[in-house]
Amino acid sequence: MAYHVSFGERTSKYVVKRDGKTIRMANKEFVNVNGLSINDSPLDLGYIDIPACNGVIHVITQGVLILSN
């Protein structure tokens, strides 16, 4: 499950600013941010920035594969 989580509160505003860059996940792997997708899995814009007791949730419409370095 650690490959679905990153440390800190990463709102959609933060993710969009990372366009063309990577975000480190809790399992120490990286995901690529490309526009409104993560590792080519599009964000579902109807379900972003959902408050949770330990951060925020963003829904994607496909599974995310972690790229190995």
Side-chain angles (χ1 to χ4, degrees):
M1 196 63 180
Y3 59 89
H4 289 287
V5 177
S6 70
F7 294 107
E9 191 169 304
R10 314 256 191 226
T11 64
S12 59
K13 187 175 183 179
Y14 172 87
V15 172
V16 170
K17 286 183 179 181
R18 302 289 302 167
D19 186 23
K21 299 180 182 168
T22 60
I23 296 175
R24 188 174 187 160
M25 306 307 282
N27 69 343
K28 300 181 183 173
E29 298 288 335
F30 292 87
V31 293
N32 293 319
V33 178
N34 183 6
L36 294 175
S37 66
I38 305 221
N39 284 358
D40 296 323
S41 296
L43 293 171
D44 185 333
L45 298 181
Y47 300 97
I48 57 174
D49 297 337
I50 300 167
C53 64
N54 59 350
V56 294
I57 299 169
H58 307 291
V59 176
I60 58 170
T61 56
Q62 299 173 13
V64 173
L65 297 175
I66 300 300
L67 305 175
S68 60
N69 294 339

